[in-house]
Amino acid sequence: MKNSLPVLIIGGGVAGISAALDIADAGRAVFLVENSPNLGGQVAKLDKLYPTDHCAFCPLWTDIKRLKEHHLITVHTSTEVKELRSIEGRLHAMIVKNPPAIDASRCVFCGKCERECSQKAIRPAGEHVYPPVCRVDLDVCNHCAACVTICPTAAINFQRAVETIELNIDHVVWASGFKEVDLTPLKEFGFGTHPDIMTSLEFEEWTAEAEINKGDIITKLNRSVPRNIAFIQCAGARDERMLPYCSAVCCMHAFKQAKWIKRRNPAIHCVIFYTDLRTVGRDYYEYSREEIGGSPIRLIRGRPSLIYPLPGGDGIAVKFENTETQKRDIWKFDMVVLNGNLRSSLEWTDQEKLDSPALTEEGFVNPKSDGMSRFSCGFSMEPSDVAESAVQAASVAAGVLIAKREG
Amino acid sequence: MTGPGRSNNRRTEEQATPRMLVFACKWCGLIGADGAGKKRIPLPASFRVIPVECASLVEPDAVIRALASGISGVAVLGCHLGGCRFNHANHAAMKRLELLKTLLDAVGIGGKRLLLAFGTAHEDHQYAEVINAFFEELKALPSTAPWMY
Amino acid sequence: MSKVAVLLCRCFGEVDGVIDLDALRKKTEEDVSVAFSCVVDSLCLEVDIEKPLSLIRESGAEKVVIGSCSSLGKGDAVVETLVREGIHRSRIGLVDLREGCAWIHRDDPQGATDKALNLIRMEMGALSYRHGSDDVTIRVCPEAMIVGAGPAGLSAACALSRLGFKVHLLERGSGPGGMLNLISHVYPSDEKSGDKIKKYSEIVEKNPLVSFYSKVKILSVKGFAGDFKVHISSSEGEKKLRVGAVILASGARVWLPYGLYRYGKLKHVITQMEMERQFLREPVPIKKAVFIQCVGARNKDRPYCATICCPSSLKNAARIKDENPDARVFILHRDIMTPGSVLEAYYRKALAKGVQFIRFEETNPPEILGDEHVEGVEVFDVINGRKRMLDCDLVVLSTPLVPNDDNAKLADMLGVERDRYGFFSEIYPLHPLETRMDGVFICGSARWPVSSDQAIMQGEGAAVKAAALLGKDAVSALSLSRVPGEKFGHASVNAEACTGCGNCAAVCPFEACRLQKMGGRSVSRVNKMRCKACGNCVSVCPNGAIQLPEHDYRAVGAMIKKAFAEETIS
């Protein structure tokens, strides 16, 4: 019976998880596939979220646990959707699972493999991955299989077959989130010319409490404490050369990062170079106005024309015009954070294989096109933050449930 | 049997390894404790953890019982203010326990024996820092042995 | 006396490499209340837990203490295995011997072993006073009540009825549509607002599952998720409704800028809503118009961005240009708020039509000039660094949406919280449509100012959340948890000891405690459907009359006693 076929949700981030739970709570079966080994998507990797200023892991963890324990949801990580076809009015999907060497269901996280490995190829999966598991970095591994022998639960197997699963489904929900676009072609940003010119996601990881620097704000160049940090908004976005649209989340993201810098080290000066400060959303404007650490975040309206490393390792120059005073200047910064270069992870590929939906010119799922593209939520539909993605996911769930009911 | 005038040996022994009781909320608190465990960060063995559903479950009564039974200090680890999954239950808990600190000061037990860490010990290294720092503080305080009679 | 089985997990050397598990086993076996104590390689693998399970069955032990890895490792999974075996959760004690002991005390094996024994004794002591909470199951009434028939409410009603649920759609006005009745076209599709909601209002009219009530006053709401008893008055008289879920979609109202920009004092200085009304009537050729953004918004009185004002001005400015391509239209702004792909394209479209944009600063707002009617606007153009005099015959002020006046009363009736501006609050950003009251959902501008598209999406989202509850025949109080799995328990009142002081009722974050008259005195009563077991009530009760059976004060007392009890371990 058509109505009893599962729904395929592509993407295990905030949007995908929310949609899966909403559909399954209403009694329908869900298949959720995620191409990375971890659930939680980009948001789980963030140090903090706005506007709560709390860690990204905790709120997601509850939902991830519910997702995994739900009797109507089947989760496949390290899995890609290879094909999606409409055959005689039915949707047919082929998903390919590339299981990691260490089986998470058998791993007890004892750490024997990590200690045994001579190449240091084995490490814990990540600070906040639940349940905790170790991962093998295949690039470093020399295939000695010492870990296989030492593992007390026989959780390690390098010969795991790639699994191909064929599914008959009745609906697809695209929730594949965003990825970064390489900013190297836009030479004015100087991306790649200095270790301390980095994208906001790199900066997030570099300064995360759970990562190597334990939340300390230091430069990559010589691990010293920076005196000032520049945030460049709309890097790559609202730009006809690259992404014509606004990535929606970056203004708030910059405020969040700048405020956390001020919390951890009030002496660091933060400057945000912006075009429009988009603080649309519950409590966002007030969040952006909150002063921390005794000195405000400096806001300069202007898109820098050139960012370049100064000779002798003496910092980074940012050349800009303050459009509100019409003054041009060059300021020196110790770190520069570029914000804006986010696009949907979906790419336009061969229509024949139908493994990606119809996309708008700007790369988002076009809901007005065929049945397979009808349901999408999160960044794959439209640049959105956590709250908006959750709403879109719930709305998509409603659409799917109604479509199932009405046949 | 015990009381004032006991040998100084007990005093030194106890100050060397003060006894600590930690009430850790199952969310932020225990995640930090777990993280420290996974990283195998070495900590002194003279503390015991009681997991609680929420920091608001820690009765002031329990804190006083613990201190009265000779435990040198009590730590309460809860979630960030604004991050409690029980709708700000931790706010009420913090206010209550802050008042208790004042009371402990007023009766001479010392508010320093009650540590409140809301949202500051949810990462492994932060948990270790909080526990170690509290141990140092407790070492500097006089022995609680005279209270046990 | 119920006996305890003690299972000690080596975790393949990770625990017994530091802790002397054998000594622990011997020590615990000496205890008369212990049925047996055993050391195993692991407890999380099926093959390894079989033997301990059969030992438990044979020995008749009713309680189990597990010394293993932490609950965040595999500990929880082990507990679940035992629960599936039929042992009640309140009879299982989990002791963290790995992350919480062996792994952090590697340099002090004696200290770690002493600690491990203490921890096991603590858990055994706690188990003697730990009980399971009573549960209560109620039948779910499979009907929903939606407060407000604007775009959010209509879309929620439409979605719920199409999912097969009966809906009571309440509207305080005389008909559906809400604020969309007052505007001409919606953004970004630029379709007529009537067309936008036609699809929803038709379904609502024709679907027999939807009952529409107009001129509604909500008189009272009692109850909890699955069973709300509502008393309303409407154009058809008074009625009592029984519903399983409530969706708040009561919208917001437009703030009127009296006192700003000579509004109300000068002709042709109007609000965006009045502009819409003009468009609804008939096209009026406008030659020179100036829109001013952030009027009474993003200031210290209302420090928020109201989402819809920038796109609305873009919509209306573009329309003026469409109807009269020679018109001079300016939008004076402090940031153009069009985040995302669709809205940014909408912005570019207005730019392409020739709408002009001038940025001003909050501290230096534009000035309205004119004697009987507006003649011009003087503004300091920040980007060009000079004052500009704009001739115009119409000034449109973009003002924010503010909460409805009856939000406070509705919040009180439903037990929902409001934020500092007065809009209804959700529990947290990952669950933006759910409130602290199970079964009550919020959507649309009642929650936070949003566009009609967003309101429609939120309405559908709220419907889906409600449908999850309404689709159940019955719901148990323990299942309404804020944490994965079941609730920790329910607060329970010893009615004899209760003095009726009301501390618990005052402090409960979920309004689950209430004082009730019982034979001449006041006694606290816990609504199990609302209680989340946070424990605030327990902490403020003056004599311990209210307790959580899973975490009784005697259990805590036992744990404190045994925490550092000295026992010699050979």
Side-chain angles (χ1 to χ4, degrees), chain C residues 173-195:
Chain C
S174 43
M179 214 173 276
L180 285 190
N181 287 332
L182 305 173
I183 67 177
S184 165
H185 288 61
V186 294
Y187 71 81
S189 59
D190 287 332
E191 64 188 307
K192 284 210 180 100
S193 68
D195 288 339

Side-chain angles (χ1 to χ4, degrees), chain B residues 93-115:
Chain B
M94 200 186 83
K95 282 192 216 156
R96 215 168 18 242
L97 294 170
E98 286 284 351
L99 275 176
L100 180 61
K101 266 195 185 186
T102 318
L103 182 67
L104 290 173
D105 267 331
V107 299
I109 295 175
K112 279 206 169 124
R113 294 190 185 276
L114 173 60
L115 174 78

Side-chain angles (χ1 to χ4, degrees), chain A residues 14 18 21-23 25-26 43 49-52 59-63 65-66 69 103-112 115 130-132 152-154 238 240 244-249 274-287 289 301 321-326 360 362 364 374 381-384 386-388 390-403 405-406, chain C residues 11-14 42 44-45 47 71-74 76 98-99 103 106 158-165 298-299 302-307 333-345 347-348 359-362 380-386 419-421 423-426 428-433 442 446-448 454 456-458 460-465 467-469 472 482-485:
Chain A
V14 166
S18 304
L21 285 172
D22 284 333
I23 294 173
D25 281 343
V43 170
L49 295 181
Y50 59 79
T52 56
L60 260 186
W61 175 59
T62 312
D63 282 350
K65 198 157 192 251
R66 264 212 329 128
E69 292 168 1
D103 180 358
S105 66
R106 291 192 72 84
C107 173
V108 294
F109 205 65
C110 63
K112 289 184 173 43
R115 293 192 287 273
Y130 173 81
T153 62
R238 298 180 79 188
E240 283 168 2
Y245 56 80
C246 160
S247 296
V249 300
Y274 70 96
T275 307
D276 286 294
L277 280 173
R278 292 189 166 163
T279 52
V280 179
R282 164 161 249 154
D283 292 344
Y284 288 2
Y285 183 70
E286 225 176 334
Y287 182 87
R289 298 261 105 185
R301 191 182 179 283
E321 177 187 333
N322 181 341
T323 59
E324 289 178 324
T325 58
Q326 296 83 46
T360 63
E362 294 181 347
F364 301 103
R374 210 170 134 198
M381 182 187 109
E382 170 73 17
S384 338
V386 167
E388 281 168 21
V391 167
Q392 290 157 9
S395 158
V396 150
V400 166
L401 294 168
I402 290 172
R405 200 161 186 274
E406 294 179 352
Chain C
C11 191
F12 304 105
E14 291 302 311
S42 89
C44 51
L45 297 177
V47 61
S71 63
L72 292 168
K74 296 279 181 180
D76 270 353
R98 193 180 74 165
E99 283 86 336
W103 277 357
R106 287 184 299 172
C158 186
L160 274 173
S161 60
R162 287 171 82 185
L163 286 172
F165 297 103
R298 293 175 79 208
N299 60 10
R302 274 162 295 281
Y304 58 90
C305 165
T307 315
H333 69 94
R334 284 168 43 202
D335 280 301
I336 291 289
M337 301 299 208
T338 52
S341 150
V342 171
L343 286 181
E344 183 71 14
Y347 179 19
R348 289 197 299 273
R359 178 180 272 261
F360 67 90
E361 275 180 337
E362 189 185 349
F380 186 81
D381 177 343
V382 159
I383 306 300
N384 286 307
R386 58 189 176 90
D419 66 14
R420 56 181 161 282
Y421 313 115
F423 296 105
F424 299 114
S425 297
E426 65 255 28
Y428 26 77
L430 207 64
H431 292 265
L433 306 172
I442 48 177
R447 176 192 162 267
W448 185 263
Q454 287 170 303
I456 288 170
M457 240 197 272
Q458 289 182 9
E460 289 167 345
V464 139
K465 304 281 182 191
L469 174 63
K472 299 191 165 85
R482 284 287 145 88
V483 302

Side-chain angles (χ1 to χ4, degrees), chain A residues 12-245:
Chain A
V14 166
I17 293 171
S18 304
L21 285 172
D22 284 333
I23 294 173
D25 281 343
R28 301 295 199 176
V30 171
F31 249 88
L32 185 136
V33 301
E34 162 60 37
N35 63 5
S36 79
N38 298 330
L39 288 173
Q42 295 282 9
V43 170
K45 296 185 203 160
L46 295 176
D47 183 25
K48 306 286 178 195
L49 295 181
Y50 59 79
T52 56
D53 279 337
H54 297 149
C55 80
F57 175 67
C58 294
L60 260 186
W61 175 59
T62 312
D63 282 350
I64 290 177
K65 198 157 192 251
R66 264 212 329 128
L67 185 92
K68 287 190 175 163
E69 292 168 1
H70 206 295
H71 67 285
L72 286 173
I73 303 179
T74 312
V75 179
H76 287 292
T77 50
S78 305
T79 304
E80 260 183 81
V81 178
K82 276 291 184 224
E83 257 182 51
L84 207 53
R85 286 183 175 285
S86 186
I87 302 176
E88 285 166 13
R90 289 169 157 267
L91 275 180
H92 177 86
M94 184 171 87
I95 61 178
V96 174
K97 185 169 175 140
N98 207 341
I102 302 182
D103 180 358
S105 66
R106 291 192 72 84
C107 173
V108 294
F109 205 65
C110 63
K112 289 184 173 43
C113 55
E114 191 184 350
R115 293 192 287 273
E116 189 72 6
C117 180
S118 54
Q119 306 298 113
K120 298 223 189 302
I122 302 186
R123 274 197 333 250
E127 277 314 304
H128 288 151
V129 170
Y130 173 81
V133 69
C134 283
R135 295 254 162 83
V136 184
D137 183 351
L138 291 171
D139 292 330
V140 182
C141 171
N142 69 355
H143 306 284
C144 70
C147 52
V148 177
T149 325
I150 201 91
C151 175
T153 62
I156 310 183
N157 178 357
F158 287 94
Q159 264 78 48
R160 290 195 205 282
V162 167
E163 260 179 80
T164 303
I165 305 176
E166 311 241 350
L167 295 170
N168 280 320
I169 54 177
D170 60 2
H171 295 288
V172 181
V173 174
W174 298 93
S176 29
F178 67 83
K179 63 177 182 193
E180 287 186 283
V181 181
D182 183 13
L183 283 172
T184 319
L186 298 181
K187 299 250 176 282
E188 71 267 28
F189 294 113
F191 184 67
T193 62
H194 191 288
D196 285 303
I197 300 176
M198 55 183 107
T199 64
S200 70
L201 289 180
E202 283 176 68
F203 186 75
E204 184 88 3
E205 199 184 331
W206 180 247
T207 57
E209 277 176 16
E211 295 292 334
I212 43 173
N213 296 320
K214 300 195 166 60
D216 285 338
I217 316 282
I218 48 177
T219 61
K220 273 193 183 177
L221 182 69
N222 49 19
R223 303 184 69 82
S224 60
V225 176
R227 284 151 303 183
N228 48 21
I229 302 181
F231 291 84
I232 317 292
Q233 301 308 103
C234 305
R238 298 180 79 188
D239 189 330
E240 283 168 2
R241 299 168 296 169
M242 199 174 260
L243 308 170
Y245 56 80

